Amino acid sequence: SAVISQKPSRDICQRGTSLTIQCQVDSQVTMMFWYRQQPGQSLTLIATANQGSEATYESGFVIDKFPISRPNLTFSTLTVSNMSPEDSSIYLCSVEDRVGVTGTDTQYFGPGTRLTVL
Amino acid sequence: KQEVTQIPAALSVPEGENLVLNCSFTDSAIYNLQWFRQDPGKGLTSLLLIQSSQREQTSGRLNASLDKSSGRSTLYIAASQPGDSATYLCAVRAAGGNKLVFGAGTILRVKS
């Protein structure tokens, strides 16, 4: 399995500011994803972080609000821009770990970043 | 559009009981189904993954089954322990895609 770390683990931010969240994996992975978990709700995919190209965003999420970088196969960042209280959520990075020929395609998740916007 | 439902939303049981968590999905064209555990304020821990061609997977006291045609999966936990207390999430991945669609989760409390 892959070991994933995220920074920061939590933050409290003011309305109108931006926060960049980092995701580091201990091995090279083909796929990296960013999810959001709003209070009391389940996870929703924001985007797939593509190495060397623009991220692929899900419906309802746009690059101007959630710019994503993925400079290599072990690292990605998600920025939450021009924040409002509605952006208060846990943001989770996940990776797909293809194992062997059968390709179990298990997705592993980081510990999350708990963001509170005042 | 794939929708995933988990029943019950919450469950409280005494230690030692066997229990079943249910997950249903609307589109049977899935690639795999994954069960996760989430502890309060933490990330997700992968418990079991079932490929669409499989019927069940087992890991220790956990057994997950999949009936793709009826759009259902169950997670069976044997001899529950207080340490099993957590939110259990079911997620399906569509055939030909990478996106996981999650259910709302079942909050499990095992009382000692």
Side-chain angles (χ1 to χ4, degrees):
Chain A
S1 64
V3 177
I4 306 165
S5 60
Q6 285 185 233
K7 289 182 181 179
S9 58
R10 58 177 60 224
D11 207 342
I12 300 173
C13 301
Q14 296 297 320
R15 181 195 298 261
T17 62
S18 297
L19 176 71
T20 296
I21 303 168
Q22 299 179 4
C23 176
Q24 179 74 53
V25 192
D26 69 340
S27 58
Q28 293 185 336
V29 293
T30 54
M31 309 292 292
M32 295 182 78
F33 308 92
W34 287 98
Y35 285 81
R36 179 176 75 180
Q37 186 176 30
Q38 293 178 298
Q41 299 189 28
S42 195
L43 282 77
T44 301
L45 179 65
I46 297 171
T48 302
N50 301 310
Q51 195 264 329
S53 64
E54 196 171 282
T56 305
Y57 290 83
E58 294 297 307
S59 175
F61 298 96
V62 295
I63 187 171
D64 290 346
K65 176 66 176 178
F66 296 102
I68 288 171
S69 79
R70 188 175 174 194
N72 56 51
L73 295 177
T74 64
F75 186 79
S76 177
T77 66
L78 168 74
T79 299
V80 186
S81 303
N82 188 24
M83 289 184 284
S84 67
E86 292 71 34
D87 294 319
S88 297
S89 297
I90 299 175
Y91 292 86
L92 298 110
C93 168
S94 81
V95 305
E96 190 166 282
D97 182 17
R98 292 187 177 269
V99 178
V101 177
T102 56
T104 59
D105 303 323
T106 299
Q107 284 197 17
Y108 297 95
F109 283 77
T113 295
R114 182 180 291 272
L115 171 62
T116 301
V117 184
L118 303 177
Chain B
K1 177 187 173 186
Q2 178 74 270
E3 293 182 1
V4 180
T5 303
Q6 291 187 245
I7 295 173
L11 183 61
S12 181
V13 300
E15 182 177 5
E17 271 203 10
N18 302 324
L19 55 98
V20 175
L21 308 181
N22 297 291
C23 172
S24 62
F25 46 94
T26 55
D27 187 346
S28 61
I30 66 169
Y31 181 70
N32 61 37
L33 182 146
Q34 202 164 346
W35 283 93
F36 294 90
R37 166 186 174 140
Q38 185 175 31
D39 292 283
K42 301 293 177 72
L44 277 65
T45 299
S46 178
L47 298 174
L48 290 165
L49 179 144
I50 310 177
Q51 300 288 4
S52 61
S53 59
Q54 297 175 326
R55 296 285 293 182
E56 66 177 338
Q57 284 287 331
T58 298
S59 176
R61 293 183 294 109
L62 305 179
N63 175 276
S65 67
L66 174 64
D67 184 343
K68 195 174 76 163
S69 60
S70 68
R72 295 184 180 185
S73 176
T74 60
L75 179 66
Y76 176 83
I77 302 177
S80 59
Q81 303 170 357
D84 295 330
S85 298
T87 298
Y88 290 80
L89 295 163
C90 164
V92 299
R93 177 175 165 180
N98 296 307
K99 171 183 175 180
L100 290 182
V101 178
F102 282 83
T106 294
I107 301 171
L108 173 64
R109 181 185 171 211
V110 181
K111 298 172 289 186
S112 57

